[in-house]
Amino acid sequence: MSIVRPASAQLPTELIAKFKQVVGEKDALTDAADIEPYVTEERKLFRGLSALVLRPASTAEVAAICRIANEYNIALVPQGGNTGLVGGQTPLNGEVVVSLRRLDKIREIDTASNTMVCEAGVVLQAAQQKASEVDRLFPLSLGAEGSCTIGGNLSTNAGGTVALAYGVAREMALGLEVVLADGRVLNALSKLKKDNTGYDLRNLFVGAEGTLGIITAATLKLFPRPRAIETAFVGLESPELALKLLTLSQNEAAGTLTSFELLPEIAVDFSVRHGIDVRDPLSKRHPWYVLMELSSPREDARATLEAILTRGMEENIVEDAVIAANLFQRADFWKLRHELARAQKPEGGSIKCDISVPIAAVPTFIAEANAAVVKLIPGARPMPFGHLGDGNLHYNVSQPIGSDSADFLGRSHDVDAVVYEIVLRMGGSISAEHGIGLLKREELSDLKDKVAIELMRSFKALLDPLGIMNPGKVL
């Protein structure tokens, strides 16, 4: 399925000139070839249209852009690394794109307060590296970390593979700098862990996908860098046993369990067959796998991991396991996990649901969702995988072998409907870490608490009365 908006993208020449005065000639893109990378996303699910891409280099320039847009009622779409999966960063109706990639400075690192102030365009991997250089850890980690940006991570409240231990993006930000729709700048770049002075405005903008304002900088939490990281790849029989291993690991690891990823056999098969230089770490296949990691400030992580796996085998939870012998083998384990997005493409169409349910409900959810999807589309191949440690699964479904991809992808809404019904019945969420964007906008309106939707609309009307901030997304 490809969502295309063939609206006309036109702006008066004199208005383009005003924007150019703000960012400069070379950072106001009007040529179609230059604009193309900003109006399409990796999966080609969304194809947008824009007459102008602006690339400001400072908060002051973003504020000036918003003042002009507010004066002339021009819609804006903020964009970071353009790695989003729900269309939130795509200009669907000719809006002006505000690319924040040039806001790429790390303004300050304070090791005493364990904070780092990053501008919105700082690439996540660069933030991780900068923290490492001062013997600190910025733990947010996702497959797109080499290209996604801090502003985008916060705007979508990204999760990733370490949310089990460190929380999601929202919990890693102490303060924000935000440009509002009328060009005012909210300066709330606090380093304080305790600040009880009224409403927590920060949380309005984290996860708002640029619909309330444009995040231009953030004060991020840093953590002590682990002295020992130990990683294991585990084979077991079922999600129920994976859940038992999670409980055992949390009890024994005393807070050092940082990742706990669940993968079905089909996921490992796809990754090994289609990934680049990927192999199965275990000698034979298992119905389910866990990729788990312990990170410790002391040098005792390996002994703890060995004890967990030994007890898991004694209690018939674990069938087989291997602990990474070195950094290269650890990277190989994680490569198998991170290659899953690429490895699904050769198998044809893939319908993707990013959901969460209470952790204890994950095995039941998988069983019910798999049965419902296969009943709906005989031959469909469910591939639920992801962050068992925090209840977030990427519930993906590959097309039946030999079927038509377009026909299969045309059933996306049908698959979503049966999956979401089970998710909501179990007290879960239809979007765990990818956001709402355009892809899930209608479902949000239908499924979210009505009072919550009313409050969201009220905030939107208050902060963006003209509706120029990423219009048509989320609400």
Side-chain angles (χ1 to χ4, degrees), residues 229-246:
I229 299 176
E230 298 292 344
T231 311
F233 198 79
V234 182
L236 30 69
E237 182 65 29
S238 68
E240 286 81 4
L241 291 176
L243 189 58
K244 287 186 177 181
L245 180 61
L246 173 63

PDB file of all heavy atoms in Angstrom, residues 229-246:
ATOM      1  N   ILE A 229      29.585  -5.659  29.678  1.00  0.00           N
ATOM      2  CA  ILE A 229      28.357  -5.957  28.941  1.00  0.00           C
ATOM      3  C   ILE A 229      28.453  -7.396  28.462  1.00  0.00           C
ATOM      4  O   ILE A 229      29.410  -7.775  27.793  1.00  0.00           O
ATOM      5  CB  ILE A 229      28.175  -5.010  27.732  1.00  0.00           C
ATOM      6  CG1 ILE A 229      28.067  -3.559  28.194  1.00  0.00           C
ATOM      7  CG2 ILE A 229      26.927  -5.403  26.937  1.00  0.00           C
ATOM      8  CD1 ILE A 229      27.984  -2.563  27.058  1.00  0.00           C
ATOM      9  N   GLU A 230      27.477  -8.185  28.827  1.00  0.00           N
ATOM     10  CA  GLU A 230      27.449  -9.599  28.434  1.00  0.00           C
ATOM     11  C   GLU A 230      26.147  -9.893  27.698  1.00  0.00           C
ATOM     12  O   GLU A 230      25.069  -9.479  28.131  1.00  0.00           O
ATOM     13  CB  GLU A 230      27.591 -10.512  29.648  1.00  0.00           C
ATOM     14  CG  GLU A 230      28.908 -10.358  30.408  1.00  0.00           C
ATOM     15  CD  GLU A 230      30.115 -10.844  29.611  1.00  0.00           C
ATOM     16  OE1 GLU A 230      29.920 -11.573  28.604  1.00  0.00           O
ATOM     17  OE2 GLU A 230      31.249 -10.509  30.001  1.00  0.00           O
ATOM     18  N   THR A 231      26.254 -10.611  26.588  1.00  0.00           N
ATOM     19  CA  THR A 231      25.121 -10.825  25.693  1.00  0.00           C
ATOM     20  C   THR A 231      24.957 -12.304  25.419  1.00  0.00           C
ATOM     21  O   THR A 231      25.943 -13.014  25.163  1.00  0.00           O
ATOM     22  CB  THR A 231      25.357 -10.082  24.360  1.00  0.00           C
ATOM     23  OG1 THR A 231      25.756  -8.742  24.630  1.00  0.00           O
ATOM     24  CG2 THR A 231      24.100 -10.082  23.511  1.00  0.00           C
ATOM     25  N   ALA A 232      23.723 -12.777  25.459  1.00  0.00           N
ATOM     26  CA  ALA A 232      23.445 -14.197  25.203  1.00  0.00           C
ATOM     27  C   ALA A 232      22.344 -14.341  24.175  1.00  0.00           C
ATOM     28  O   ALA A 232      21.403 -13.535  24.118  1.00  0.00           O
ATOM     29  CB  ALA A 232      23.052 -14.911  26.494  1.00  0.00           C
ATOM     30  N   PHE A 233      22.473 -15.386  23.366  1.00  0.00           N
ATOM     31  CA  PHE A 233      21.431 -15.765  22.408  1.00  0.00           C
ATOM     32  C   PHE A 233      20.894 -17.111  22.872  1.00  0.00           C
ATOM     33  O   PHE A 233      21.646 -18.073  23.022  1.00  0.00           O
ATOM     34  CB  PHE A 233      22.011 -15.860  21.001  1.00  0.00           C
ATOM     35  CG  PHE A 233      20.973 -15.817  19.922  1.00  0.00           C
ATOM     36  CD1 PHE A 233      20.410 -14.613  19.527  1.00  0.00           C
ATOM     37  CD2 PHE A 233      20.542 -16.981  19.299  1.00  0.00           C
ATOM     38  CE1 PHE A 233      19.444 -14.556  18.528  1.00  0.00           C
ATOM     39  CE2 PHE A 233      19.585 -16.941  18.303  1.00  0.00           C
ATOM     40  CZ  PHE A 233      19.033 -15.721  17.916  1.00  0.00           C
ATOM     41  N   VAL A 234      19.588 -17.168  23.109  1.00  0.00           N
ATOM     42  CA  VAL A 234      18.978 -18.291  23.817  1.00  0.00           C
ATOM     43  C   VAL A 234      17.894 -18.927  22.959  1.00  0.00           C
ATOM     44  O   VAL A 234      17.080 -18.226  22.351  1.00  0.00           O
ATOM     45  CB  VAL A 234      18.355 -17.813  25.150  1.00  0.00           C
ATOM     46  CG1 VAL A 234      17.750 -18.978  25.916  1.00  0.00           C
ATOM     47  CG2 VAL A 234      19.385 -17.067  25.987  1.00  0.00           C
ATOM     48  N   GLY A 235      17.878 -20.257  22.911  1.00  0.00           N
ATOM     49  CA  GLY A 235      16.802 -20.989  22.238  1.00  0.00           C
ATOM     50  C   GLY A 235      15.873 -21.597  23.255  1.00  0.00           C
ATOM     51  O   GLY A 235      16.317 -22.184  24.252  1.00  0.00           O
ATOM     52  N   LEU A 236      14.554 -21.464  23.006  1.00  0.00           N
ATOM     53  CA  LEU A 236      13.570 -22.051  23.917  1.00  0.00           C
ATOM     54  C   LEU A 236      12.300 -22.411  23.152  1.00  0.00           C
ATOM     55  O   LEU A 236      12.179 -22.169  21.953  1.00  0.00           O
ATOM     56  CB  LEU A 236      13.283 -21.125  25.113  1.00  0.00           C
ATOM     57  CG  LEU A 236      13.394 -19.592  24.940  1.00  0.00           C
ATOM     58  CD1 LEU A 236      12.309 -19.079  24.059  1.00  0.00           C
ATOM     59  CD2 LEU A 236      13.375 -18.916  26.294  1.00  0.00           C
ATOM     60  N   GLU A 237      11.354 -22.979  23.860  1.00  0.00           N
ATOM     61  CA  GLU A 237      10.210 -23.612  23.209  1.00  0.00           C
ATOM     62  C   GLU A 237       9.046 -22.680  22.947  1.00  0.00           C
ATOM     63  O   GLU A 237       8.311 -22.840  21.970  1.00  0.00           O
ATOM     64  CB  GLU A 237       9.727 -24.794  24.078  1.00  0.00           C
ATOM     65  CG  GLU A 237       8.558 -25.582  23.506  1.00  0.00           C
ATOM     66  CD  GLU A 237       8.906 -26.313  22.206  1.00  0.00           C
ATOM     67  OE1 GLU A 237      10.078 -26.690  22.021  1.00  0.00           O
ATOM     68  OE2 GLU A 237       7.991 -26.494  21.370  1.00  0.00           O
ATOM     69  N   SER A 238       8.841 -21.663  23.803  1.00  0.00           N
ATOM     70  CA  SER A 238       7.598 -20.900  23.706  1.00  0.00           C
ATOM     71  C   SER A 238       7.744 -19.510  24.313  1.00  0.00           C
ATOM     72  O   SER A 238       8.651 -19.268  25.130  1.00  0.00           O
ATOM     73  CB  SER A 238       6.476 -21.644  24.432  1.00  0.00           C
ATOM     74  OG  SER A 238       6.732 -21.648  25.839  1.00  0.00           O
ATOM     75  N   PRO A 239       6.832 -18.594  23.980  1.00  0.00           N
ATOM     76  CA  PRO A 239       6.821 -17.289  24.647  1.00  0.00           C
ATOM     77  C   PRO A 239       6.572 -17.392  26.141  1.00  0.00           C
ATOM     78  O   PRO A 239       7.050 -16.559  26.911  1.00  0.00           O
ATOM     79  CB  PRO A 239       5.677 -16.551  23.938  1.00  0.00           C
ATOM     80  CG  PRO A 239       5.586 -17.180  22.592  1.00  0.00           C
ATOM     81  CD  PRO A 239       5.890 -18.628  22.841  1.00  0.00           C
ATOM     82  N   GLU A 240       5.805 -18.409  26.548  1.00  0.00           N
ATOM     83  CA  GLU A 240       5.558 -18.591  27.985  1.00  0.00           C
ATOM     84  C   GLU A 240       6.875 -18.849  28.723  1.00  0.00           C
ATOM     85  O   GLU A 240       7.116 -18.307  29.812  1.00  0.00           O
ATOM     86  CB  GLU A 240       4.594 -19.770  28.212  1.00  0.00           C
ATOM     87  CG  GLU A 240       3.150 -19.484  27.852  1.00  0.00           C
ATOM     88  CD  GLU A 240       2.864 -19.600  26.357  1.00  0.00           C
ATOM     89  OE1 GLU A 240       3.791 -19.992  25.594  1.00  0.00           O
ATOM     90  OE2 GLU A 240       1.733 -19.303  25.941  1.00  0.00           O
ATOM     91  N   LEU A 241       7.739 -19.670  28.121  1.00  0.00           N
ATOM     92  CA  LEU A 241       9.034 -19.939  28.749  1.00  0.00           C
ATOM     93  C   LEU A 241       9.950 -18.716  28.669  1.00  0.00           C
ATOM     94  O   LEU A 241      10.746 -18.470  29.576  1.00  0.00           O
ATOM     95  CB  LEU A 241       9.685 -21.155  28.095  1.00  0.00           C
ATOM     96  CG  LEU A 241       8.994 -22.497  28.383  1.00  0.00           C
ATOM     97  CD1 LEU A 241       9.644 -23.633  27.606  1.00  0.00           C
ATOM     98  CD2 LEU A 241       9.011 -22.808  29.884  1.00  0.00           C
ATOM     99  N   ALA A 242       9.821 -17.943  27.591  1.00  0.00           N
ATOM    100  CA  ALA A 242      10.592 -16.694  27.497  1.00  0.00           C
ATOM    101  C   ALA A 242      10.199 -15.751  28.631  1.00  0.00           C
ATOM    102  O   ALA A 242      11.050 -15.075  29.215  1.00  0.00           O
ATOM    103  CB  ALA A 242      10.363 -16.034  26.143  1.00  0.00           C
ATOM    104  N   LEU A 243       8.916 -15.711  28.948  1.00  0.00           N
ATOM    105  CA  LEU A 243       8.440 -14.872  30.044  1.00  0.00           C
ATOM    106  C   LEU A 243       9.000 -15.355  31.380  1.00  0.00           C
ATOM    107  O   LEU A 243       9.384 -14.541  32.239  1.00  0.00           O
ATOM    108  CB  LEU A 243       6.910 -14.870  30.065  1.00  0.00           C
ATOM    109  CG  LEU A 243       6.232 -13.883  31.009  1.00  0.00           C
ATOM    110  CD1 LEU A 243       6.645 -12.454  30.694  1.00  0.00           C
ATOM    111  CD2 LEU A 243       4.706 -14.028  30.913  1.00  0.00           C
ATOM    112  N   LYS A 244       9.067 -16.662  31.563  1.00  0.00           N
ATOM    113  CA  LYS A 244       9.668 -17.208  32.779  1.00  0.00           C
ATOM    114  C   LYS A 244      11.149 -16.845  32.864  1.00  0.00           C
ATOM    115  O   LYS A 244      11.663 -16.507  33.940  1.00  0.00           O
ATOM    116  CB  LYS A 244       9.505 -18.730  32.817  1.00  0.00           C
ATOM    117  CG  LYS A 244       8.082 -19.193  33.115  1.00  0.00           C
ATOM    118  CD  LYS A 244       8.033 -20.704  33.282  1.00  0.00           C
ATOM    119  CE  LYS A 244       6.625 -21.172  33.649  1.00  0.00           C
ATOM    120  NZ  LYS A 244       6.565 -22.644  33.846  1.00  0.00           N
ATOM    121  N   LEU A 245      11.846 -16.892  31.720  1.00  0.00           N
ATOM    122  CA  LEU A 245      13.253 -16.521  31.711  1.00  0.00           C
ATOM    123  C   LEU A 245      13.415 -15.036  32.027  1.00  0.00           C
ATOM    124  O   LEU A 245      14.369 -14.650  32.729  1.00  0.00           O
ATOM    125  CB  LEU A 245      13.876 -16.839  30.350  1.00  0.00           C
ATOM    126  CG  LEU A 245      15.360 -16.491  30.192  1.00  0.00           C
ATOM    127  CD1 LEU A 245      16.218 -17.268  31.189  1.00  0.00           C
ATOM    128  CD2 LEU A 245      15.829 -16.761  28.758  1.00  0.00           C
ATOM    129  N   LEU A 246      12.507 -14.204  31.548  1.00  0.00           N
ATOM    130  CA  LEU A 246      12.551 -12.776  31.866  1.00  0.00           C
ATOM    131  C   LEU A 246      12.427 -12.552  33.369  1.00  0.00           C
ATOM    132  O   LEU A 246      13.204 -11.792  33.962  1.00  0.00           O
ATOM    133  CB  LEU A 246      11.435 -12.043  31.131  1.00  0.00           C
ATOM    134  CG  LEU A 246      11.243 -10.559  31.491  1.00  0.00           C
ATOM    135  CD1 LEU A 246      12.481  -9.746  31.126  1.00  0.00           C
ATOM    136  CD2 LEU A 246       9.998  -9.989  30.802  1.00  0.00           C
TER     137      LEU A 246
END
